[in-house]
Amino acid sequence: MPDHNNTIIKLDGVRKSFGAVHALSGVDLEIRIGEALGIVGHNGAGKSTLMHILAGSLQADTGSISIHDAAPVEGYGIAEAQAAGIRTVFQELSLCPNLTVAENTRIMNPEIKGFNWRSRASRQILDKLDEIFPGHGISANAYVGDLPIAKRQMVEISRAFTSISTPLNLVILDEPTSSLDAIVSEQLLTYVRKFTEAGGSCILISHLLNEILTTTNRIIVMQDGKVVDERATSRFDRDSLVEAMGSVAEHEENGDHAGKVRTREAEPILSVQPNETAGDMVMEIYPGEIVGLAGLSGHGQTETLVDIFLDKRKAGGKSRLPMALVAGDRQVDGIFPLWSIGKNISIASHGEFVRFGLIDHDQEKQLADSWKDKIGIQTPDLENNILSLSGGNQQKALFARALGSTAEMILMDDPMRGVDIGTKQEVYGLLRQEAAQGRTFIWYTTEMNELEHCDHIYVFREGNIVANLTRNELTEQKVLHASFEGG
Amino acid sequence: MEGLLNPRLMRNLLPAFSLTILLILIFYIQPRTMSYLGLNLLLNLALPIAFATLAQMCVMTVNDLDLGIGSFVGFVACVGATFLRDTPAIGILILLGCVGVYAGLGALIHQRNLPSIVVTLGMSFVWLGLALLVLPTPGGKAPDWARAIMTWKTPMVPFTIYASIFVALAVHFLLMRSAYGVVLRGAGGNPRSVERAGWSLLRIKMAMYALAGFFGILSGIALIGLTTSADANIALRYTLLSIAGAILGGGEFVGGRISPIGAVIGATTLTLAGSFLSFLRISPDWQIGAQGGILIIVLALRVLINRMEAK
């Protein structure tokens, strides 16, 4: 079936790592002329990294990229992608808000210049908008910053399809419908079908499986930076697709700790309703539990954690519990980059060792030292700067900060991002140990296998809780079904 | 959202509106200023400040700030009053080198990802030191041609007004209307997006800094054309005046939102504010504070308009 004369771009053994995290671990991919390729996979499967490599905005560590069956391109980058006629609509909007719709079109098309360029750019983008989204109601002179998000996305998609002199071979759409309503989404998908019938190619990434199933010819399933399944779309249906996304973890699931479930007794120490308006499910947290928050990223889990931390949106339970938060984005929200490791650990506990308004340094050092051993931070000296540690060890220091405080409840915002597997195992053990001693954990994670360490799991979608599972009810299938559209 | 109450239109008209109010007040208090000579005296120093403001605005376009522009203008003035008069070839070479240094600053700030305020603040001391080396004590003499241009008796209204209008329109065309100007402003609005479309951010930053250097040079030469002699400390206050002028004219510190016409109007407004306060017989001790007061009033008006827009 693979006829090598009609390949647009071919990836061979492409790998990409960010520090200890392997975002892509050996991807082979071939995109053919006139095909609509769907890519699905859970968070962190490597889809977006793959798109960035195709767009040239990230460079692969190893592996080769070739275009139209020519020899592999050395140093494939943005210019090469553009020359090959590849355009990308990234997940995060990338228009300039201070420019008009027409001016943004000019940024994408260097050919539009010289006398009267403005009216030519306007015509380009308006023609495309009319073609893809009839009745869009967008003016070419409107400033992008003034447009509502859906219209911005429409402009960005249409802009990707404008082309002046280089032929447009492949358009990559990464979650293009995330802020479009159903009617406009359908307009886009119709256009994608038309575009591919006319000989263009398209890559569609979407969490809405129906879109993938109705629009594409071929689907690849990604997991942990690898392509784990690839079939013609006709050979997939909704259930088999969900199954393919979860296949690996299913095999590993007969874990050792899956058996025992804590029985919920007495009163919850906290109950939270993330979305008060929508007669939504209530999340209940009992002392000594590890509660997992699941679902696709950006569906309200972090917001809920922050709200709990700030004591907002509480439906009942005791108020003002001593709490600590372990941040996920440690560079932004976690570490104090100029401070030593010891200071980074003890900052949350300063209140305990203040004497006569001054900090008792001996006690402070004691606390840091004891946690260095307990959690196994690999450093010769806690006086070293925090940045001298590897990412995983920095995260350990942040765990030590939270666990070393007197907090009874610890909130964790996907703290294992970019942490190597060895560190993860150590921290999992520590969490279970601390929970057994009566501490309560609320743990937002995007990694399916981490949910197996939780006593109770709440799945979030669009800011609401859509499923409530105990540990022995937990299967990856159920979480996936709940995370993706209503099913 | 239509018609006169359109917040975007109001925000664009605010600088011109402030200038008009100020002019009306000045004419009311001191009607004799409503003459060729009066306007000339009032607006005399507006042109160098307008050039410095445009320089600042170029740097602001790419989300940076130039804290060295005042000392740079002073340095240019010192070179202008010495080399440029005595040995024009060397003088021109030095000034061209300055544009190169500015482009280099842009490259350094972009490549090493340094905060522009640190680099340009450091450079302000370098410029000041160089200026003192060139002209240790106040003095020198402006080239005759600079003097001739700045004192040119134009018909109807003074030269400053023609020059300001011409420069404002030229820069407006370059940055706001031309196809490449869009890319330059886009780099302030969303650098990543511009880079992903295949443009070199390095070149954009270098271009904007070089342009800032160019306007800095025009500012220095215009200044000695008026004062006839130079002094290393002659333009130190331009740093803050240029920032205030660019913001007053409708620009913003980040996001590539700039207005060249507004910047020239803003610079003129600031120049007039000083005269206005003198006419009110406010003692010079209080003038700086009162000038700040005017700035606060205009910016508060802008916040009000923005709030209207947010609704």
Side-chain angles (χ1 to χ4, degrees), chain A residues 52 57 78 82 90 92-99 103-104 106-110 112-114 117-118 143 145-146 159, chain B residues 8 176-199 255-257 309:
Chain A
H52 276 284
S57 47
I78 292 172
Q82 280 186 330
F90 292 100
E92 69 276 31
L93 293 176
S94 55
L95 295 169
C96 299
N98 60 331
L99 303 181
E103 288 172 337
N104 268 291
R106 141 78 186 158
I107 298 250
M108 186 66 117
N109 294 289
I112 306 179
K113 59 184 173 195
W117 66 270
R118 203 171 281 267
Y143 282 89
D146 293 348
R159 184 177 78 150
Chain B
R8 183 174 291 278
M176 308 303 283
R177 302 300 301 176
S178 83
Y180 191 60
V182 166
V183 179
L184 297 173
R185 281 184 294 133
N190 188 343
R192 244 188 352 181
S193 149
V194 171
E195 194 171 29
R196 280 176 186 168
W199 302 94
R257 288 196 170 85
E309 196 172 31

Side-chain angles (χ1 to χ4, degrees), chain B residues 19-56:
Chain B
L19 179 64
T20 314
I21 295 285
L22 202 55
L23 269 177
I24 289 173
L25 286 175
I26 288 175
F27 290 159
Y28 176 74
I29 297 171
Q30 193 54 268
R32 269 177 295 178
T33 54
M34 234 184 322
S35 64
Y36 190 97
L37 183 71
L39 278 177
N40 201 13
L41 286 173
L42 269 182
L43 294 171
N44 214 340
L45 279 168
L47 199 54
I49 296 178
F51 279 127
T53 304
L54 286 171
Q56 188 67 256

Side-chain angles (χ1 to χ4, degrees), chain A residues 467-482:
Chain A
N468 169 1
L469 307 164
T470 60
R471 185 191 284 164
N472 31 8
E473 290 169 334
L474 172 74
T475 64
E476 186 163 13
Q477 247 62 305
K478 280 185 192 161
V479 175
L480 283 176
H481 264 291

Side-chain angles (χ1 to χ4, degrees), chain A residues 258-279:
Chain A
K260 68 170 172 44
V261 177
R262 303 170 56 90
T263 44
R264 289 191 151 185
E265 57 212 5
E267 282 194 11
I269 45 171
L270 192 69
S271 54
V272 182
Q273 191 174 19
N275 194 344
E276 285 161 347
T277 49

Side-chain angles (χ1 to χ4, degrees), chain B residues 52-70:
Chain B
T53 304
L54 286 171
Q56 188 67 256
M57 190 199 69
C58 288
V59 176
M60 267 188 202
T61 307
V62 285
N63 298 344
D64 284 344
L65 215 51
D66 184 357
L67 295 186
I69 190 71

Side-chain angles (χ1 to χ4, degrees), chain A residues 6-238:
Chain A
N6 57 15
T7 305
I8 288 175
I9 186 165
K10 192 172 170 217
L11 271 59
D12 263 318
V14 165
R15 287 168 187 277
K16 177 81 192 169
S17 310
F18 300 100
V21 189
H22 300 288
L24 292 178
S25 35
V27 171
D28 303 320
L29 180 68
E30 194 176 322
I31 295 141
R32 298 167 202 136
I33 291 171
E35 91 169 330
L37 174 71
I39 300 184
V40 295
H42 205 263
N43 292 315
K47 299 173 306 236
S48 288
T49 310
L50 183 62
M51 296 311 102
H52 276 284
I53 288 187
L54 283 170
S57 47
L58 280 178
Q59 269 70 47
D61 296 337
T62 58
S64 67
I65 298 173
S66 51
I67 287 162
H68 289 306
D69 289 317
V73 182
E74 289 295 319
Y76 181 86
I78 292 172
E80 287 74 19
Q82 280 186 330
I86 297 173
R87 287 279 180 82
T88 310
V89 176
F90 292 100
Q91 201 172 348
E92 69 276 31
L93 293 176
S94 55
L95 295 169
C96 299
N98 60 331
L99 303 181
T100 66
V101 171
E103 288 172 337
N104 268 291
T105 311
R106 141 78 186 158
I107 298 250
M108 186 66 117
N109 294 289
E111 299 98 328
I112 306 179
K113 59 184 173 195
F115 182 68
N116 218 13
W117 66 270
R118 203 171 281 267
S119 68
R120 275 179 288 136
S122 302
R123 205 162 48 239
Q124 277 283 337
I125 189 73
L126 287 180
D127 285 354
K128 217 26 110 175
L129 275 166
D130 289 341
E131 194 180 346
I132 305 176
F133 305 108
H136 53 81
I138 298 169
S139 154
N141 293 322
Y143 282 89
V144 166
D146 293 348
L147 294 175
I149 183 134
K151 291 196 170 178
R152 277 189 228 181
Q153 193 149 25
M154 286 154 77
V155 170
E156 181 156 12
I157 292 166
S158 306
R159 184 177 78 150
F161 282 100
T162 58
S163 86
I164 315 294
S165 57
T166 41
L168 199 55
N169 289 322
L170 171 65
V171 176
I172 301 167
L173 302 166
D174 192 354
E175 295 285 350
T177 58
S178 57
S179 31
L180 301 180
D181 64 39
I183 296 164
V184 179
S185 300
E186 193 44 48
Q187 288 179 334
L188 170 64
L189 298 177
T190 308
Y191 182 78
V192 167
R193 281 176 222 126
K194 206 176 102 193
F195 179 72
T196 51
E197 273 160 29
S201 307
C202 221
I203 293 181
L204 181 63
I205 298 178
S206 178
H207 280 129
L208 301 173
L209 302 182
N210 285 334
E211 292 186 349
I212 299 269
L213 286 165
T214 56
T215 311
T216 60
N217 322 114
R218 184 162 65 107
I219 299 174
I220 65 168
V221 180
M222 290 190 72
Q223 202 173 52
D224 299 329
K226 284 191 285 279
V227 176
V228 291
D229 203 347
E230 176 184 353
R231 289 184 226 172
T233 303
S234 53
R235 296 183 51 224
F236 268 119
D237 61 17
R238 217 195 120 73

Side-chain angles (χ1 to χ4, degrees), chain A residues 227-368:
Chain A
V227 176
V228 291
D229 203 347
E230 176 184 353
R231 289 184 226 172
T233 303
S234 53
R235 296 183 51 224
F236 268 119
D237 61 17
R238 217 195 120 73
D239 289 329
S240 60
L241 200 53
V242 170
E243 201 176 321
M245 279 195 275
S247 58
V248 171
E250 201 180 19
H251 297 308
E252 294 172 350
E253 204 180 303
N254 41 1
D256 48 344
H257 44 268
K260 68 170 172 44
V261 177
R262 303 170 56 90
T263 44
R264 289 191 151 185
E265 57 212 5
E267 282 194 11
I269 45 171
L270 192 69
S271 54
V272 182
Q273 191 174 19
N275 194 344
E276 285 161 347
T277 49
D280 183 36
M281 281 200 225
V282 175
M283 175 165 85
E284 292 188 328
I285 291 126
Y286 291 79
E289 267 190 335
I290 302 180
V291 172
L293 310 186
L296 299 167
S297 63
H299 279 247
Q301 299 94 331
T302 302
E303 288 80 355
T304 305
L305 282 182
V306 171
D307 282 346
I308 293 174
F309 192 66
L310 299 177
D311 235 0
K312 287 194 288 187
R313 272 199 226 169
K314 206 155 55 305
K318 258 189 289 172
S319 74
R320 208 53 240 174
L321 217 59
M323 280 188 268
L325 183 99
V326 181
D329 190 345
R330 62 177 162 271
Q331 300 306 337
V332 176
D333 302 325
I335 60 168
F336 294 93
L338 297 178
W339 289 8
S340 71
I341 304 163
K343 285 243 162 33
N344 263 289
I345 292 176
S346 62
I347 175 75
S349 315
H350 273 165
E352 295 158 43
F353 32 72
V354 169
R355 273 201 319 205
F356 311 119
L358 298 172
I359 292 169
D360 182 339
H361 281 289
D362 290 336
Q363 276 194 45
E364 186 184 15
K365 201 164 150 3
Q366 228 171 4
L367 176 96

